[in-house]
Amino acid sequence: MFTNPMWLRKKLRGSPWTLNNFLHSITWQNPHLTLAIASNLFPFSSIISFVTMLSGSGSSVMWFRKGLRIHDNPALQLASQGASHLYPLFVVDPHYMEPDPTSFSPGSSRAGLNRIKFLLESLVDLDLSLKNLGSRLLVLKGDPAEVLIRCLKEWNVRKLCFEYDTEPYYQALDTKVKNFALGAGIEVFSPNGGKPPLTYQSFTKIAGQPPPPLTITHSSLPPIGILGSCDISEVPTIEDLGYGDAKQDEFSPFKGGESEALKRLAECMKDKAWVATFEKPKGNPSAFLKPATTVLSPYLKFGCLSSRYFYRQIQDVYETMPKHTSPPVSLLGQLLWRDFFYTVAFGTPNFDRMKDNKICKQIPWKDDDKLLEAWRDGRTGFPWIDAIMVQV
């Protein structure tokens, strides 16, 4: 229908259409053709101004990793603040998601199947929340650093916002992305950093009373700009990733996502007496269908639930229940333990291994099959170790 620009010019003359209406109402699969058509319909100066605005004079990328939520999300708040366009992005990393046939249990080389399914459910929930705000989750696949750098180049981004990851593998990717962004003049915001305390006591002293969670509620988000040649897809399913033979009974009954996290938190906080008297290690660790804990750990891990918001909810209960347990055994204390270890993990190079880990005792381990067999069979000669192995 666009083969005759002069006919279209006559058709639109006197109509309420503007350049903005036109460029937002047609496909951008062929941007060169689109702009060629527009040049026959609108003043050239208007087209230059419009394209300059679209190309990222104020465009931001919100790189979702483990902050899969809308509430109390500092990175999302800054990314959307003053942005003409916002690209909410998640990169499916094959190393984390795709099946590893050599793995001892169903899953990838870095995560079990239940964790992967939980993550996918969290992404679906996030996508729905973004759509309710006039946006959507842009899902791409590949090496996260390479994909993100390609997108930053193509979208002409001015601001990149994300949360640092605690895992060494992803910290290396963070450094690569951050170095490129800073070199390209892109503002980088990541709300984590500093030197970590190495004891629980020093952590709680530094943390003190955490700042309250953000109270800003988003009624809408800036629109997504031109996507160009980036291959955007929907959130994949378990089957899409190659887990078609996985049985339903292999999955956890706990569903991922921010909506589920807030629902579970609200249910926990209703029982004020339970919250006030919670004490570790008391409780039944083998309880599964009706756990003795909140089961909010996976939601905190993937950032479906803000730890600051969780902290504030516990404090609200404590204010109505003067007699309550105290850290480190209380529910509040357990939340602080969790954030303490995450803080140390983030600030300690090679935290996931002994070698080159400055806070880990260096032990000259030996590969001895006979000693391993004796340990497995409870024949080490150390009574308490042998008793434990016999019990196992």
Side-chain angles (χ1 to χ4, degrees), residues 310-330:
F310 190 6
Y311 183 96
R312 185 63 257 170
Q313 293 294 302
I314 298 173
Q315 288 285 43
D316 288 345
V317 171
Y318 285 174
E319 287 173 8
T320 65
M321 305 286 288
K323 296 186 68 175
H324 56 76
T325 51
S326 301
V329 298
S330 65

Side-chain angles (χ1 to χ4, degrees), residues 31 63 83 86 106 117 130 190-191 201 225 254 280 346 354 371 390:
W63 182 20
L86 175 66
K117 183 173 182 289
L130 289 169
S190 189
Q201 289 76 15
F254 305 110
K280 273 282 193 175
F346 169 74
M354 180 190 77
L371 287 178
V390 168

Side-chain angles (χ1 to χ4, degrees), residues 30-192:
N30 189 332
H32 298 292
L33 176 61
T34 298
L35 292 176
I37 295 167
S39 66
N40 281 281
L41 302 174
F42 303 96
F44 186 69
S45 59
S46 299
I47 296 171
I48 292 297
S49 298
F50 188 87
V51 172
T52 300
M53 180 189 73
L54 280 183
S55 64
S57 59
S59 295
S60 298
V61 164
M62 173 61 206
W63 182 20
F64 282 102
R65 335 263 302 286
K66 290 179 179 174
L68 306 180
R69 65 180 185 274
I70 303 297
H71 78 277
D72 190 30
N73 193 327
L76 178 60
Q77 181 193 2
L78 190 70
S80 58
Q81 201 170 42
S84 59
H85 294 85
L86 175 66
Y87 297 87
L89 177 69
F90 183 86
V91 183
V92 174
D93 184 355
H95 292 292
Y96 192 93
M97 296 281 212
E98 293 186 350
D100 178 7
T102 65
S103 180
F104 70 94
S105 62
S108 71
S109 60
R110 295 190 172 274
L113 186 55
N114 271 321
R115 182 178 294 184
I116 293 170
K117 183 173 182 289
F118 189 95
L119 172 57
L120 294 178
E121 290 169 345
S122 301
L123 292 173
V124 169
D125 186 71
L126 176 63
D127 184 40
L128 181 60
S129 296
L130 289 169
K131 286 175 179 175
N132 289 335
L133 296 173
S135 187
R136 62 165 291 198
L137 186 63
L138 305 174
V139 180
L140 292 95
K141 182 179 178 181
D143 177 273
E146 293 177 4
V147 170
L148 191 61
I149 289 173
R150 187 170 69 248
C151 290
L152 292 176
K153 289 178 180 178
E154 182 147 0
W155 296 339
N156 195 18
V157 171
R158 292 291 175 263
K159 185 163 57 178
L160 169 64
C161 301
F162 64 96
E163 289 186 4
Y164 280 141
D165 203 305
T166 59
E167 297 180 33
Y169 169 75
Y170 287 106
Q171 286 190 32
L173 298 182
D174 288 358
T175 301
K176 185 177 179 181
V177 170
K178 191 173 181 180
N179 288 343
F180 168 81
L182 293 174
I186 298 172
E187 179 187 355
V188 177
F189 173 79
S190 189
N192 308 93

